[in-house]
Amino acid sequence: MGRRARAAAGAALAAVACALCAAAPAPAAAAAAPPACTKAAARNAVLATGFARKVKLRLGRSVFRPGETVLGLYGVGRVICADVTGDGAGEMIVLLQCCTVSAPSPWAIFQAGSHGRWALRYSRIKTVAFDLAVNSAHDVEEKMPRYLPSDPNCCPSGYDYVRAHWTGRTFVTLRGPA
């Protein structure tokens, strides 16, 4: 094979290789690792997503003294890690608690974003939650005290329930137990 033939064959091979490279699918971008679902991650999500700002604005001076911060008054009382949207990825449910049994106990549902950080998807702020749980329908169920006038704060006569239910697009609030 002469020099011209070899050069032509080399050029043809290079053209085929370039065509194959252009047609090959690009490797999939590595998905961001899911964020941690811990009390430390909950504290960070409360601040980073604006949930703390919403709590402070909604509860205002009736709860917060000047200069007091949400995480200065409230602690992360409970963190539940569960898939409540049915997408295979876990959500982080965070209940803030403080002070007394009758103090508001804001809570929120955070969903993992594509950027690997928690995003606020649902919140209840002016509520007194005794407990949160994920029920068999994958709803987040809030248990709230129902007091009669003669009931002490420790011992309500009964309970009311509110559920955060995923519709496939958003969370909605439903009344009553599932």
Side-chain angles (χ1 to χ4, degrees):
M1 185 183 267
R3 192 184 326 170
R4 281 189 176 175
R6 280 194 300 263
L13 281 174
V16 168
C18 285
L20 288 174
C21 287
C37 186
T38 62
K39 282 195 174 189
R43 283 188 291 277
N44 289 337
V46 164
L47 295 173
T49 64
F51 181 53
R53 187 173 56 254
K54 284 178 74 170
V55 168
K56 194 163 185 180
L57 285 172
R58 187 81 196 274
L59 298 178
R61 292 185 194 130
S62 65
V63 173
F64 294 97
R65 285 179 248 141
E68 194 167 34
T69 64
V70 170
L71 291 180
L73 179 62
Y74 283 91
V76 174
R78 182 139 192 229
V79 176
I80 301 171
C81 307
D83 180 9
V84 295
T85 60
D87 65 356
E91 281 72 44
M92 179 171 65
I93 301 108
V94 177
L95 173 65
L96 299 180
Q97 293 176 314
C98 89
C99 324
T100 69
V101 70
S102 61
S105 35
W107 62 275
I109 301 173
F110 298 92
Q111 208 170 26
S114 59
H115 52 312
R117 288 184 229 147
W118 292 111
L120 179 63
R121 292 295 180 242
Y122 178 87
S123 64
R124 288 187 45 87
I125 296 172
K126 277 191 150 181
T127 186
V128 177
F130 266 26
D131 196 20
L132 290 179
V134 176
N135 65 22
S136 61
H138 301 285
D139 293 342
V140 180
E141 193 170 75
E142 173 187 356
K143 181 180 180 180
M144 302 174 302
R146 185 175 3 96
Y147 293 101
L148 292 176
S150 61
D151 290 345
N153 273 349
C154 70
C155 312
S157 291
Y159 297 96
D160 291 322
Y161 295 87
V162 171
R163 293 176 285 132
H165 174 76
W166 178 249
T167 66
R169 291 186 46 181
T170 189
F171 285 98
V172 295
T173 303
L174 302 175
R175 306 273 175 212

